[in-house]
Amino acid sequence: MSDNDTKKPTGDAQPPPKGSSQPSNPPAGAKLDTPPAAHSAPTAPPPAPKPAGPPPPKNPGFITCTIDGKEVVVKPGTNMIEAARMVGSDIPYFCYHPRLSIAANCRMCMVEASNAPKLVPGCQTPLVEGQVIKTTTPKVKEQQRAVMEFLLLNHPVDCSICDQAGECKLQDYYMRYDYRPSRLEGGKVMKNKRKVLGPRVVLDQERCIICSRCVRFMSEIPKEPQLGIFGRGSHEVIDTFPGSELNSNYSLNTVDICPVGALLSRDFRFRARAWFLSAAPSVCTGCSRGCNTYTDFMAQDTYRYRPRENEAINKSWMCDHGRSTYKDLNLGRVLSAVVGRQQGGTARPEVARKEAIQAAGKALAGVKGQVAVLASPVASNEDLLATLTFAKATLGAKEIYVGGRPQGQADHFLLTADRNPNRKGLELIAQGLGLTLKPFEDLVKAIDGGKVKALYAVGTEVPGNVETFAQAAAKLDVFVAQATNESALTAQATVLLPASAHVEFDGSFVQVDGIVQRFRKAYPSKGDALAHWALAAELTREMGGTAAWTSSREVFRELGKAVAEFAQFDWDKAAPPDREKPGINPLPTAADGRPPGYREFGAPRVRGI
């Protein structure tokens, strides 16, 4: 053993051994590329541990964070506004919409986050694991107050005449987050108060807060970019592009999503206050899509349709064509029963419905087995179940001629070519009852050829020219018609019975994809009208049959058993809620179960159209 073997290392540099480029005893802290031989140095110290990474997620596959002291578990990518709703915290916003891209330009939703030195926009900032969010600190409240003061600086004081009053976020947020007098010295910036953007929408540029919701909607949902933002600073405005107008079939959706009273419907403008209206969940009858809607009404008049969210059918939108169909509920209604055809230009005498039922029963009893039946796919499932059962069991009908509105032009988004809301339901019910459906053209030929002398019509909508068919119907000996609206055809009915519109009773439709949908009654039937199913029940009893139905529900539960496709449909559970809480109060149009001003119809499950 050499002397070197017994020496302890001193840490001083020594000359390297022969054939080696590394020192045999490097200075303390130096790192050896090649460790020394075992007989000349002690064992090397273990490598330093790697720095610890972020802790594993508390709930794998999800993000767990804390908002206002409450823990919340969300899916990755969820923004702070949606997450805060889950724990009962309300982050205010103007430009955010759950179905549109994120703009983050209103700055109303700024909140404190534990991983950011400054306030961050809640709409644009996704949550991360372990993050702590605070939405009620003094810093956040001052930001909200400052934003409200900025937005209201040049905003006109139009609340007393604004159609958005009662549904306006500016009103709600001013009372909640600002509530201070304006500090503006001098006049406000003046802009165009009545800028007509298109045939259905007018813009008040002074009220606009440039949230850009309307611009994003037109570009992203119908993909018709007809709106833009022009100008700079306080003179920035929303407008159409030069030489164009807002003529999209989805233009009125911009009115729905406008958080203030800037975009207004030219049809609804100055007609009613939101707080005077009530809302009933219903279904649009403008085409076979079956968009879910709210029917906004006062007394027995309908004032507008608004879209109601349904992820499977219309998301949060509806077309302008469907919105305009509410007018048929108010104008040209058949409100009284009439017996006898119209002679010349004189008005026909009105009779009690009971007398008309007796006259219809007597006329139909004389032509049993020879009566043609015309059924409209505008009628509900309950109407068709009752009337076609009556036609088969009492009148002896085996074939049903299909009426309904004429075909139209489909578009690229929601509107279908079939303008009838329940054609699929008519097909299913006829199949279940063992009845054959025949086209409307065959009925015209049969009447012209003299083969059909008696006709029972459930609805007087026809796919051809109404005037032409009315001339053919004048040849009929017996023409019993159940109609909702007056037309040239109803003038030729030997017995005319007033029928209720779909907003005047509970019922259901089957839309084009086979989805059965419930709708709610808004108000009682106008005049002496009854639903088609109730008129069929009275005719059945008048002609010696049995019909104990007293409601749409009973009709569906009793007669719907014949239709296999209705077996899995729960008529009661499928009904949308029509009130905020148990009681007799209907939904106010400004709330729909949520605070006023929230017109985006809830938080959808997914983003996109």
Side-chain angles (χ1 to χ4, degrees):
M1 180 180 292
S2 64
D3 293 337
N4 289 336
D5 291 335
T6 60
K7 290 182 179 180
K8 294 182 180 181
T10 62
D12 298 330
Q14 298 179 6
K18 294 180 180 181
S20 174
S21 61
Q22 296 289 340
S24 60
N25 191 13
K31 184 178 180 181
L32 292 176
D33 290 338
T34 304
H39 66 276
S40 62
T43 305
K50 295 181 179 180
K58 188 174 182 180
N59 297 281
F62 294 87
I63 292 174
T64 305
C65 57
T66 303
I67 300 178
D68 292 337
K70 300 176 183 177
E71 187 177 277
V72 62
V73 180
V74 299
K75 294 181 179 179
T78 303
N79 63 38
M80 296 177 181
I81 291 178
E82 302 296 345
R85 285 176 176 167
M86 299 180 185
V87 296
S89 295
D90 183 21
I91 299 177
Y93 59 87
F94 288 107
C95 68
Y96 171 71
H97 190 285
R99 294 194 184 276
L100 301 178
S101 60
I102 303 298
N105 59 356
C106 76
R107 317 310 284 178
M108 190 68 189
C109 63
M110 304 285 276
V111 295
E112 282 194 41
S114 59
N115 60 344
K118 299 181 180 180
L119 298 181
V120 297
C123 64
Q124 193 180 42
T125 311
L127 293 170
V128 296
E129 182 69 25
Q131 194 176 31
V132 178
I133 308 298
K134 297 179 181 179
T135 69
T136 58
T137 63
K139 188 176 181 181
V140 172
K141 290 182 178 180
E142 174 57 24
Q143 165 72 15
Q144 294 166 344
R145 189 211 62 77
V147 169
M148 284 302 302
E149 182 179 26
F150 172 74
L151 293 177
L152 291 171
L153 199 64
N154 287 302
H155 194 83
V157 188
D158 281 349
C159 298
S160 59
I161 61 169
C162 181
D163 279 338
Q164 192 81 348
E167 298 176 315
C168 181
K169 283 190 174 184
L170 274 176
Q171 288 180 335
D172 302 333
Y173 289 169
Y174 171 74
M175 301 300 293
R176 193 180 307 172
Y177 302 110
D178 190 5
Y179 201 57
R180 297 186 185 184
S182 175
R183 295 186 291 173
L184 176 66
E185 296 181 358
K188 296 176 180 285
V189 174
M190 307 297 288
K191 299 178 183 178
N192 196 331
K193 292 289 291 180
R194 287 169 292 277
K195 173 68 176 180
V196 176
L197 299 181
R200 292 174 289 274
V201 179
V202 62
L203 169 65
D204 187 328
Q205 292 178 341
E206 289 186 351
R207 299 175 186 169
C208 181
I209 61 172
I210 314 295
C211 72
S212 75
R213 274 186 175 188
C214 54
V215 177
R216 285 177 283 145
F217 168 80
M218 293 303 302
S219 298
E220 298 168 10
I221 306 302
K223 303 189 186 305
E224 298 173 311
Q226 298 176 347
L227 294 176
I229 302 177
F230 304 89
R232 290 292 183 271
S234 296
H235 297 277
E236 200 170 35
V237 295
I238 300 290
D239 205 344
T240 55
F241 291 98
S244 65
E245 64 176 0
L246 182 60
N247 56 8
S248 168
N249 190 35
Y250 297 90
S251 64
L252 287 173
N253 288 283
T254 63
V255 178
D256 290 329
I257 63 177
C258 182
V260 296
L263 289 165
L264 302 168
S265 167
R266 297 179 69 181
D267 179 64
F268 180 73
R269 189 168 178 244
F270 297 145
R271 291 192 60 217
R273 284 294 184 211
W275 51 76
F276 290 147
L277 298 176
S278 298
S282 189
V283 174
C284 178
T285 60
C287 78
S288 59
R289 178 71 63 188
C291 292
N292 287 215
T293 66
Y294 284 109
T295 298
D296 292 346
F297 65 95
M298 180 165 51
Q300 288 180 288
D301 286 321
T302 300
Y303 281 78
R304 63 180 177 181
Y305 284 158
R306 289 177 296 124
R308 178 167 54 92
E309 187 194 1
N310 187 313
E311 192 69 30
I313 297 174
N314 62 308
K315 308 303 188 222
S316 297
W317 322 114
M318 69 180 295
C319 71
D320 293 356
H321 167 79
R323 292 175 191 264
S324 66
T325 57
Y326 82 89
K327 297 182 180 180
D328 290 337
L329 306 177
N330 303 328
L331 302 175
R333 291 288 302 274
V334 177
L335 301 179
S336 301
V338 179
V339 176
R341 285 193 172 98
Q342 183 170 344
Q343 301 296 329
T346 60
R348 292 185 292 178
E350 299 175 353
V351 300
R353 188 180 65 241
K354 183 177 181 180
E355 296 178 27
I357 291 291
Q358 293 172 350
K362 183 178 180 180
L364 292 173
V367 289
K368 275 189 178 182
Q370 304 173 358
V371 184
V373 178
L374 175 66
S376 171
V378 177
S380 70
N381 291 326
E382 294 73 19
D383 291 336
L384 294 172
L385 283 168
T387 53
L388 297 191
T389 298
F390 163 71
K392 178 182 179 181
T394 305
L395 302 182
K398 297 180 181 179
E399 299 174 341
I400 304 297
Y401 294 98
V402 180
R405 299 168 182 150
Q407 294 287 97
Q409 186 71 32
D411 69 11
H412 62 290
F413 189 29
L414 293 176
L415 184 63
T416 65
D418 186 2
R419 297 294 197 258
N420 300 281
N422 202 29
R423 186 177 299 276
K424 192 75 173 180
L426 174 57
E427 294 171 355
L428 295 177
I429 291 169
Q431 180 181 0
L433 296 178
L435 297 169
T436 303
L437 294 180
K438 301 190 70 174
F440 175 74
E441 292 74 15
D442 291 357
L443 175 61
V444 177
K445 294 177 182 178
I447 294 176
D448 290 339
K451 296 181 180 179
V452 171
K453 293 293 185 180
L455 178 64
Y456 170 60
V458 182
T460 53
E461 300 86 4
V462 294
N465 184 279
V466 178
E467 301 285 347
T468 302
F469 185 66
Q471 295 175 6
K475 305 174 185 177
L476 295 169
D477 297 332
V478 175
F479 181 20
V480 177
Q482 299 178 182
T484 301
N485 292 88
E486 296 176 346
S487 66
L489 184 56
T490 60
Q492 299 302 325
T494 56
V495 179
L496 178 61
L497 301 175
S500 301
H502 74 288
V503 298
E504 297 170 347
F505 63 95
D506 290 342
S508 61
F509 291 127
V510 184
Q511 56 98 239
V512 63
D513 297 319
I515 301 175
V516 186
Q517 300 189 100
R518 271 291 313 277
F519 55 83
R520 288 276 194 179
K521 175 182 178 179
Y523 47 79
S525 296
K526 290 187 174 184
D528 211 16
L530 284 180
H532 287 294
W533 65 262
L535 294 174
E538 291 192 354
L539 287 172
T540 300
R541 292 191 289 268
E542 178 64 27
M543 298 181 68
T546 301
W549 324 304
T550 59
S551 67
S552 303
R553 178 178 182 272
E554 292 179 7
V555 172
F556 190 92
R557 291 172 68 90
E558 181 179 339
L559 303 181
K561 298 175 183 178
V563 183
E565 289 77 5
F566 292 166
Q568 301 300 320
F569 181 72
D570 192 316
W571 200 87
D572 294 317
K573 289 184 178 180
D578 66 338
R579 57 197 74 247
E580 294 180 71
K581 55 187 177 181
I584 60 173
N585 57 312
L587 286 172
T589 64
D592 304 334
R594 297 180 300 280
Y598 289 71
R599 301 180 76 177
E600 52 270 13
F601 317 111
R605 292 183 292 277
V606 296
R607 185 181 304 283
I609 62 170

